[in-house]
Structures are given as C-alpha cells and as structure tokens.
Amino acid sequence: MPSPFDAFPRFSLAHLPTPLGEMTRLRAHLGPASPRLFIKRDDCTGLGGGGNKTRKLEFLVGEALAQGADTIVTTGALQSNHARQTAAAAAAAGFKAVLVLLDMVPYQGQSYRQSGNRLLDDIFGADVRIIPPGADATAFFKSVMAELQAAGAKPYFTPAGGSTVTGSLGYAAAYLEMADELAARGITGAHLIHASSSGGTQAGLIAGRQLRHDGPAIHGINVYRLDTDKMKADIASLAAKTAEHLGLAAPSANVVVLEDGFVGTGYGVPTEGMIEAVELVARTEGILLDPVYTGKGMAGMIALIKRGTFTPDDTLVFLHTGGMPGLFAYEEEFTLP
Ligand SMILES: *Cc1c(COP(=O)(O)O)cnc(C)c1O
C-alpha cells in the first residue's frame, strides 16, 4: 500500500518499528487503581544512543540531502539530546555537524558542562559553539552562519528539537506505527502519554491521528515552558501545518492536551518527582528514563494515575522519547550522600 510519507525524501537512520513492551511490575507497584501500562521504546531508535529526534532526523537529513547541503546546523541546550542525535545523524549521512549550544539551564552540577550528551557531541566529531550566558543569541547565530557561508559550506539549518513541519513527519509516521501495534493487540481507546518540549513530537502525533482517528488519544506532559497556553498554541499551529503538508485536514486546536505542573521551576531543573520516577522505573522495570524529559513525563503520568484520571480498564502507553545520556550530566542528583 502506498504510504503518505513516500512523497518526502527520507534517509534511513532508525531501527523501526521500536519495541512496545508492557510494564506489569510498575503497574503492580502503583496498585489496583492503575490502568494497564505499556511503554513504546523510542529510546531504542538505535542511532547514536537513541531517542525521539532520530525519527525526525530521517526526514530532516532526507531534505538536507535533497537540497545539496553538506553541513547540518542546529541548536539547543548544552545537554541537548537533539544536538547529540543530529551529530550522530550527520556522521552517518556524511555531513559536517555544527551545534550552536545555549548555556541556558540554571543547573550547576559539576558534570553538566562536560559529560552526558556534551561528551557524546565531541565523540561524534561535531563542531560545537557555545553561546555564553547573556550574549545576543541571534547575533551569535548569524555570525556562525556567515562564517560557514564565507568558508564555502552549504549549511542546512534546523531549529531546536528539529521541530519543523519536515521533522514532525517522523512522529506522524510513528503514530501510525503505534496505532497499528495497538490494533494488532486488540487494544482500542488507549491513551498515549509523552514528555513535550519543542512540540514537534506532539504536533506530528496529532497530525498522524488525522490519518487514523481510531488510534490512541494524545496527552503531552509539559516539561519545557512555564506558559502552557503559549506552548499549546505553538503545538496546534505546527500540527495544522504538518497535517497540511501531508494533504490532510487541520486538526482542531482543542485536541492539544498538555498537562501542566511537572516542569518544576524550569526546563532542565531537577524535581523530586523526576528523581522518584527515574528510580522507580529503573527498579521495577530495568528501564532508564532521563532527568530533563522522560523522568518528568513519567512523574506526570504517575500523578495522573494517582489522581484517578484513568480507570483500571484503561490502557496507557508511555512514549519513551530517550535521553538516557543526560543521567550522567545530572549524576549528583542520583548519588547517595
Ligand atoms: C526532545 C525530547 C523530547 C521532547 O520532544 P519535542 O518534540 O521537542 O517536544 C522528549 N524527550 C526527550 C528525551 C527529548 O530529547
């Protein structure tokens, strides 16, 4: 059967489909009120430590190749999983990677500046440029782009998180993969829960649902902005553009569900709920979450279950979006005193 994604250039990077597992021991720990719990292992996309950006990068790298680029430029926080996966994708596709990283997270752990994703960026051979705190990021960026152009490079730019219409195609396709897997198990009316940040994952999933209205409902957990309404509006806009790119009707803006109250004092700043969730899932399921996204996302899912948002007859699927290298950047949070 022809796929709506065949119309777009794509460079194969991910191990697909990723595994779908059931978390029976976590469910037992949460007690008789817990719904049935599955986990979709997009931490196992394979490329360079895995994670959700790899599905986006298949379409982004495809587009960069089609445009004749030789350098991929992106941006993010110092511990960006997206930057690390872009560095790996660039290596795999024969591009140079330039990572313009913003020193923006008010976290002063010793390992934050040198370990985790930041270490892996160097191992992948990326050209890392760090915007100092307080510097004019736009001006810094322009100077890097001008320098690359003057040197004769053909840069392809993708923003933080790879959250463009092109990148979001990866999660529209992932939505179909999950809807098919749940249907094959005879599961209907499931709820998909995931950490949401730059919004391309959630926007892509929502656009994908325009192809399969019988698939799971989508619940983002805000791990990024203190202003949830602004983030919802951005996701609705990107979802509409992604659907249009696929030739589909725009989803209604009120399908964007984004749970509030789990980011803590800010993006990348540890919360108690995150630490508990990371340790709980490691100790009940042997699965590693991360401190910035999936730990807070899982803390959100557990809180919703405890509040009675779901019934024991419901099925939840936690989308594990990756990020494990970040644990090493926050090692002090998990070390016994
Ligand atoms: C980037 C990222 C997310 C959020 O995805 P967005 O598309 O940016 O919303 C979630 N989890 C991990 C581990 C990530 O790296």
Side-chain angles (χ1 to χ4, degrees):
M1 223 175 65
S3 147
F5 301 97
D6 293 345
F8 305 99
R10 184 171 185 171
F11 185 83
S12 175
L13 293 165
H15 301 173
L16 302 178
T18 55
L20 178 68
E22 188 162 3
M23 298 191 285
T24 54
R25 284 177 44 77
L26 177 62
R27 184 187 193 189
H29 176 91
L30 295 174
S34 175
R36 194 173 180 195
L37 301 177
F38 285 86
I39 186 163
K40 176 67 172 168
R41 300 295 303 274
D42 274 15
D43 57 320
C44 301
T45 45
L47 175 81
N52 65 336
K53 302 314 177 308
T54 300
R55 289 189 191 260
K56 299 179 182 182
L57 282 159
E58 289 205 335
F59 290 96
L60 294 167
V61 169
E63 186 170 82
L65 282 167
Q67 291 179 3
D70 58 14
T71 303
I72 302 188
V73 184
T74 198
T75 184
L78 269 188
Q79 283 294 335
S80 167
N81 296 303
H82 166 67
R84 180 252 310 162
Q85 285 164 89
T86 300
F95 288 85
K96 196 174 161 229
V98 178
L99 310 178
V100 181
L101 304 182
L102 200 57
D103 195 350
M104 61 186 255
V105 174
Y107 181 73
Q108 297 302 331
Q110 275 183 6
S111 306
Y112 188 82
R113 286 189 157 62
Q114 58 221 34
S115 186
N117 286 300
R118 188 55 203 86
L119 169 67
L120 299 183
D121 296 340
D122 286 347
I123 292 178
F124 289 125
D127 175 355
V128 176
R129 313 291 182 92
I130 295 171
I131 310 180
D136 178 344
T138 309
F140 188 94
F141 224 94
K142 278 191 183 149
S143 76
V144 172
M145 292 303 276
E147 175 203 315
L148 291 172
Q149 262 139 5
K154 296 191 201 75
Y156 173 88
F157 171 71
T158 185
S163 287
T164 62
V165 162
T166 300
S168 296
L169 291 173
Y171 271 88
Y175 186 84
L176 296 194
E177 183 180 306
M178 287 185 271
D180 285 344
E181 287 170 330
L182 291 169
R185 290 175 194 233
I187 296 168
T188 53
H191 300 267
L192 181 65
I193 300 189
H194 69 95
S196 197
S197 170
S198 67
T201 300
Q202 191 164 0
L205 293 169
I206 290 169
R209 196 158 196 250
Q210 295 297 84
L211 287 158
R212 277 293 293 271
H213 286 283
D214 62 335
I218 300 151
H219 302 253
I221 309 277
N222 178 3
V223 301
Y224 181 45
R225 275 188 195 278
L226 298 177
D227 183 350
T228 299
D229 287 338
K230 159 86 173 104
M231 194 165 143
K232 269 174 133 167
D234 290 348
I235 292 169
S237 155
L238 185 56
K241 285 185 203 144
T242 306
E244 187 190 338
H245 204 48
L246 282 161
L248 302 168
S252 99
N254 60 20
V255 302
V256 182
V257 175
L258 193 61
E259 301 291 343
D260 221 345
F262 302 101
V263 66
T265 59
Y267 169 83
V269 181
T271 64
E272 244 170 72
M274 174 280 286
I275 292 166
E276 274 170 33
V278 167
E279 292 181 349
L280 178 61
V281 173
R283 292 169 195 187
T284 53
E285 297 288 344
I287 293 172
L288 294 168
L289 301 176
D290 85 283
V292 178
Y293 302 93
T294 54
K296 289 180 178 177
M298 180 63 75
M301 185 178 93
I302 292 170
L304 293 178
I305 292 170
K306 289 188 172 164
R307 271 179 217 166
T309 309
F310 304 103
T311 75
D313 294 330
D314 283 329
T315 297
L316 308 191
V317 180
F318 184 79
L319 174 59
H320 190 335
T321 41
M324 191 273 263
L327 288 173
F328 299 101
Y330 287 82
E331 61 184 18
E332 292 90 340
E333 301 300 315
F334 301 96
T335 312
L336 291 176

